[in-house]
Each structure stands twice: as structure tokens, then as C-alpha cells.
Amino acid sequence: MAVLMDGKKLAEKLCSEVAEAAGKLARRPCLAAVLVGTDPASQIYVRNKERDCQKCGIDSRRYDRDEAVSEAELLSLIADLNADDTVDGILVQLPLPEHICERNVINAIDPDKDVDAFHPINVGKMVTGQAHLLPCTPAGIMEMLREYGISPDGKHCVIVGRSNIVGRPMGMLMLNADATVTYCHRRTRDLAALTRMADILIVAAGCPRLITGDMVRSGAVVIDVAMNRDSETGRFFGDVCFDEVEPKAAFITPVPGGVGPMTRAQLMRNILEASRSRQS
Ligand code: ADP
């Protein structure tokens, strides 16, 4: 029987810490959230982030733009937000419509206001261990490991997925924390042979039931990042066959209620951090 890693409870604790620290600043931190189009999932994400801000004593402003907005118009909005001294954090909800280059938009955000930490300057700082804004999902996972007393030092961490948002930066934070890191992805041969070697297995593939019980060594720490939505029931489930893996693992995250809330809490910490350094 594994210990269930309660991301929801820990995230609440982190958010109340953010609220306390935000209350001590001369000016309330402020997030600018940019949402393009009407994608229902994106709307829910942005609304949740606004709610989190409210709980954490952070102001939030919404900038909704039509699906047909041009890249130039969006870049001009980003330039305005960069120049606005009352804005501490800028978040552009992804994905953007196909006619807009996401990279151009991300690269236009002032790195000091880049609370998602997707800008190449922040990625470079993270890789070299000098970041003050960390990517939300990987940093949330590191925090959860700390809370449960799991040190990555010398452990073999196997990561399934190499996206810019989750897998890739996750490996960098693990390496910075002295783990030995293996990346797996769609082109990996014999995934099971590698996942079985993991002391810490982190799965971010967006592939339902990818990790079965026989792919996990007993006593492993298993972190399931995925949020796959069943279109019929509307329920969320992960990439890990929880019923098969839970009896073997030492620690496991539930879906939902594991990594998701930690990602949201880390965003609040980043907004606080961005605001603090801009106010100092
Ligand atoms: P996220 O944003 O959650 O990280 P993405 O969809 O951007 O997810 O990326 C999925 C990642 O998972 C990719 O790096 C891909 O190579 C990897 N992946 C997807 N399916 C498999 C699979 N069956 N086996 C191994 N890796 C996979």
C-alpha cells in the first residue's frame, strides 16, 4: 500500500503562505491573464487561476481576445503589459490559435514577469541553477517530494515525456537536485525496461493507462502528471493504472488531487516572487 501524496492539502498550505506574504507587501501583487478564443478547457483553467489569486490576496486582470486576434495585436498587448508597472505577472493561456506563433508571444514577455517560466531566459536560468521563477508543474512536484521527505539525491529518476512545459524542465530540476535522470518519450524503445529501473517515476505523456503494474518496481515513488478527460463521464484520470501500481509503489499521486493543485499553487508562488522582486 502506497502513501497517497495529497497535493490538494499541501497546495492549500502553500496558498495560505502566499496570502500571508502577499499581505505584507506594500502593494498587492497583480496577475494579467491573457485568454484568446473560447476553448472551454482554457476558460476553466483561467477562471481557476483567477480564483486562486483571490484566495492568495493577489489581484488579477483578464484580457480576453477574439479567436481572430492577430499576432501583432497580441504582441502589442504584451508590450503594454510589460510596460505597466502595476502588473507583476503575465500569463498567456496556451494553446493559442494556429495563426499565432506561440514562441513569438512567449519570447515577448518580460522575463521578470514570466510567471509560467517559459521564456528562454528563465529556462536558461533554471538549467544553470540560478532561477527565481520556476516552471509550475515541475517545481510543484519538487515541493511535494520535499514535503513527503523524499530526497532525489543519488536516486534514479525516470521521466516519461519530454515536453517543454513538463518533462524537459522536470529532468533539469531533478538533475539540479542530484538525481540521475533518464528521459523517455514516444521514440523510446522498451519503455518498460526503463520505467522498471526508476526509484522516482514521473509520467507526463497524456496517454491513458500507459504505465501498468509490471512496469513499476516495488517501492518506487510514482508521480502521475497527466489529466486525461473521459469525454463520456467528464472525469479525469492519469497515465498510470492506479489500481495496479498503487499496491507496489511506496508513494503515489492521485489524479485528480495530486500534481494539478501543486501546479496551481506554484503559479501563485511565482506571482508573489515576481511581485516581491519588482517591489524591492
Ligand atoms: P505535457 O504537456 O503534459 O508534457 P505533451 O502532449 O506536450 O504533454 O507531451 C507528451 C510527451 O509524452 C511527449 O514528449 C511524447 O514523446 C511523450 N509520449 C507520448 N506518448 C508516449 C508513449 N506512448 N510512450 C512514451 N512517451 C510518450
Side-chain angles (χ1 to χ4, degrees):
M1 275 273 287
V3 173
L4 211 57
M5 301 173 89
D6 190 342
K8 192 161 178 271
K9 194 166 133 209
L10 177 55
E12 276 165 18
K13 187 176 106 185
L14 296 178
C15 283
S16 60
E17 286 170 13
V18 170
E20 203 187 323
K24 290 185 181 144
L25 293 176
R27 176 176 61 72
R28 275 165 73 94
C30 176
L31 172 74
V34 179
L35 176 62
V36 178
T38 55
D39 176 60
S42 292
Q43 288 194 330
I44 292 171
Y45 291 143
V46 171
R47 204 181 314 135
N48 285 341
K49 288 168 191 176
E50 286 182 303
R51 269 195 210 132
D52 292 341
C53 283
Q54 241 169 25
K55 277 193 222 148
C56 292
I58 294 171
D59 290 335
S60 66
R61 291 187 214 152
R62 272 279 282 273
Y63 295 84
D64 286 14
R65 291 295 180 267
D66 193 84
E67 184 86 21
V69 69
S70 71
E71 186 175 308
E73 283 170 305
L74 209 50
L75 292 176
S76 148
L77 171 62
I78 302 289
D80 290 345
L81 297 173
N82 284 344
D84 186 337
D85 252 350
T86 64
V87 169
D88 297 302
I90 302 171
L91 180 148
V92 178
Q93 184 62 47
L94 302 179
L96 292 171
E98 266 185 18
H99 66 277
I100 296 173
C101 171
E102 282 182 359
R103 238 321 128 199
N104 288 347
V105 175
I106 290 168
N107 291 4
I109 298 173
D110 176 347
D112 290 335
K113 297 188 179 187
D114 169 37
V115 286
D116 270 331
F118 293 161
H119 192 287
I121 293 228
N122 287 325
V123 176
K125 284 186 174 175
M126 174 194 64
V127 170
T128 49
Q130 41 175 335
H132 76 123
L133 298 173
L134 290 167
C136 296
T137 300
I141 291 170
M142 296 306 283
E143 188 63 43
M144 192 148 66
L145 293 175
R146 259 192 300 278
E147 174 75 12
Y148 282 85
I150 300 159
S151 164
D153 190 345
K155 305 266 173 63
H156 187 187
C157 175
V158 177
I159 300 171
V160 184
R162 56 171 165 181
S163 74
N164 284 337
I165 295 174
V166 183
R168 227 171 264 250
M170 187 73 245
M172 283 303 145
L173 295 188
M174 277 291 174
L175 198 57
N176 291 349
D178 296 319
T180 301
V181 178
T182 299
Y183 282 105
C184 305
H185 47 80
R186 239 181 268 276
R187 312 278 292 173
T188 297
R189 278 185 231 139
D190 202 356
L191 180 65
L194 292 161
T195 59
R196 270 196 288 269
M197 288 166 63
D199 300 310
I200 302 175
L201 177 63
I202 302 179
V203 192
C207 209
R209 296 188 77 78
L210 177 65
I211 307 297
T212 47
D214 58 312
M215 293 168 77
V216 176
R217 141 182 117 58
S218 92
V221 175
V222 180
I223 310 283
D224 191 347
V225 181
M227 287 285 264
N228 305 301
R229 190 168 181 272
D230 186 315
S231 54
E232 278 173 24
T233 63
R235 287 175 59 182
F236 288 99
F237 55 100
D239 286 351
V240 174
C241 293
F242 189 88
D243 47 325
E244 291 181 18
V245 172
E246 189 271 339
K248 290 180 84 178
F251 293 86
I252 191 166
T253 57
V255 176
V259 175
M262 293 302 296
T263 298
R264 288 167 57 181
Q266 181 62 36
L267 176 67
M268 298 301 114
R269 298 173 102 199
N270 279 355
I271 301 166
L272 172 71
E273 178 57 33
S275 184
R276 240 190 211 149
S277 63
R278 293 188 64 258
Q279 292 192 48
S280 66

